[in-house]
Amino acid sequence: MSENKLLIDVGSTYFKVCANDKLEQHFRDFNKDIYDDLLSKCSDTISAFKKEEVYICSSANGGLTTLIIGVTNSFSLKFATNIAYNSGINIINTVLYQNIETTSIPSDLIDVVIIVGGIDSVENVFDEKLFKYLENLKYSNIVFAGSTKDADYLNKNIKDLVLIENIINNKLHVVEEPLKNYLTNLYQADIEGKEDIKHLYDLTSNQIYSTPYIVNKTLPFIDSKFAAVNPFILVDIGGATTDIHYSKDLSYDNMVTENEYDRLVFKKLGVFKSKESLIFAAKNNEFVYELLAHLKVTENIFNENTDKSLRILMQLAIFLVLYKVSEVHPLYIKLKLHLLKSVVLTGGITKVLSFEEIEDIIAFFYKKILNSQNHPSIVMDSNYDIWTLGIKNKGN
């Protein structure tokens, strides 16, 4: 890395600051403003760089919440969900248009509503049902990325609607960039509107990106620093969520997109902010007691607040995320885990678990769930190089 770049990642639990390939990590003080907390811990490092030399990504604002309305599960909803996740967006609900009259309406304010459906050669996809649903929905932004023949009709009936290029072309291929650019720009506007994050622009003259978006941008370059072999998955276990980024080669879906990698978000599998929901998911998994016995602990470990209990929770998070994308679990996308060559782990987990502890849990999963004595190679991003690769590439 050139010496004139400072990389900062502001997470929900930690700050990470990387200068001249030297990385600092600091646990956040939640009693302080993010900007003040960052300067109190890293001011000497930050002061050595000009604003144009500082690159920041963040997940500390919680990301944007979105609701997606689509015409089909197999095309519009699937494609829009794919683009939103890869833009670092949190999806709170998806609505199949044919069921919109019987779908419950979220009570919370939604940052952005995405409406998709129909290729450009079809029209009259939407009608009054859509407008009635939106009247009862609280949202800040709304965007239409569907059939151009319906664009004028929707624009006349939906206030402040943003029209962008259809995400589905006439060959049923995905057009990602217009919606992705809209969402990443919206994310920046969201940051600028939040008091404790917008002050970070006092440190940089560059755009602040969503951390998951930056990680997704990193994946094509991952083999420049790591012995990761395609197809691979990258598992990022954080304080609030667990993200999994995976090679398209592993998916049973046949979506044609420009992206080689996709992202899934498990909002209830974090080890700090969503600890209770992680424990709940573990207790309701049919293999958990056998797994706890394998780890030589009992369910009493869930009531502890020790270093050992944290390690167990992180191991459980690895097991559960693999379980939720395997063929034995019907609620999430299925991945061809038997073809997996590498598992790359990043985030706080690499500072807590040893290589042996990670290998133990992955070997248990492959033996118990996939009936295989072999498992993929394990790569640990202990120095957060994956994140720095992504933001450096964005800054070039």
Side-chain angles (χ1 to χ4, degrees), residues 97-113:
Y97 187 61
Q98 68 184 45
N99 300 329
I100 198 167
E101 290 179 300
T102 58
T103 300
S104 61
I105 298 176
S107 57
D108 294 337
L109 177 67
I110 295 164
D111 291 313
V112 57
V113 175

Side-chain angles (χ1 to χ4, degrees), residues 195 200 348:
E195 289 297 325
L200 296 176

Side-chain angles (χ1 to χ4, degrees), residues 81-98:
T81 298
N82 177 271
I83 294 169
Y85 271 146
N86 290 331
S87 305
I89 304 302
N90 298 323
I91 299 170
I92 65 159
N93 202 7
T94 58
V95 178
L96 186 62
Y97 187 61
Q98 68 184 45

Side-chain angles (χ1 to χ4, degrees), residues 224-241:
S224 68
K225 274 214 169 187
F226 297 95
V229 179
N230 258 314
F232 67 84
I233 61 172
L234 182 145
V235 182
D236 184 353
I237 297 178
T241 66

Side-chain angles (χ1 to χ4, degrees), residues 121-298:
S121 58
V122 302
E123 59 184 322
N124 300 323
V125 176
F126 301 97
D127 55 26
E128 291 286 337
K129 296 195 300 288
L130 174 63
F131 311 139
K132 187 174 180 181
Y133 181 84
L134 293 175
E135 282 176 5
N136 297 301
L137 191 66
K138 293 183 290 186
Y139 58 87
S140 301
N141 304 275
I142 186 163
V143 60
F144 178 62
S147 170
T148 54
K149 290 191 174 182
D150 270 358
D152 286 343
Y153 171 61
L154 294 190
N155 197 34
K156 291 175 183 176
N157 287 278
I158 301 173
K159 184 180 179 182
D160 299 324
L161 180 67
V162 175
L163 301 175
I164 61 174
E165 187 177 346
N166 197 340
I167 63 168
I168 307 173
N169 67 21
N170 285 330
K171 294 182 179 179
L172 299 182
H173 293 175
V174 185
V175 180
E176 298 176 272
E177 290 307 312
L179 181 56
K180 185 177 288 186
N181 289 337
Y182 170 80
L183 292 173
T184 53
N185 290 335
L186 202 61
Y187 180 87
Q188 176 169 337
D190 181 64
I191 286 177
E192 292 172 350
K194 294 195 173 177
E195 289 297 325
D196 58 344
I197 295 180
K198 71 179 183 181
H199 293 148
L200 296 176
Y201 275 103
D202 292 342
L203 305 177
T204 182
S205 57
N206 299 300
Q207 180 170 347
I208 298 175
Y209 286 96
S210 154
T211 302
Y213 172 76
I214 289 296
V215 171
N216 195 262
K217 287 293 183 185
T218 297
L219 300 181
F221 315 106
I222 205 170
D223 59 358
S224 68
K225 274 214 169 187
F226 297 95
V229 179
N230 258 314
F232 67 84
I233 61 172
L234 182 145
V235 182
D236 184 353
I237 297 178
T241 66
T242 288
D243 287 6
I244 177 171
H245 302 254
Y246 59 92
S247 308
K248 286 279 186 66
D249 295 344
L250 295 171
S251 175
Y252 284 94
D253 291 326
N254 58 353
M255 280 199 302
V256 180
T257 70
E258 300 167 8
N259 235 353
E260 296 177 64
Y261 305 93
D262 279 341
R263 169 181 173 246
L264 279 173
V265 181
F266 300 93
K267 290 179 285 189
K268 297 182 178 181
L269 290 183
V271 294
F272 291 106
K273 287 190 175 181
S274 53
K275 175 182 175 180
E276 293 306 316
S277 58
L278 170 61
I279 291 173
F280 179 81
K283 286 182 176 180
N284 285 276
N285 185 279
E286 60 186 302
F287 299 101
V288 70
Y289 292 104
E290 188 174 348
L291 177 53
L292 291 176
H294 173 77
L295 296 173
K296 298 181 172 57
V297 296
T298 69

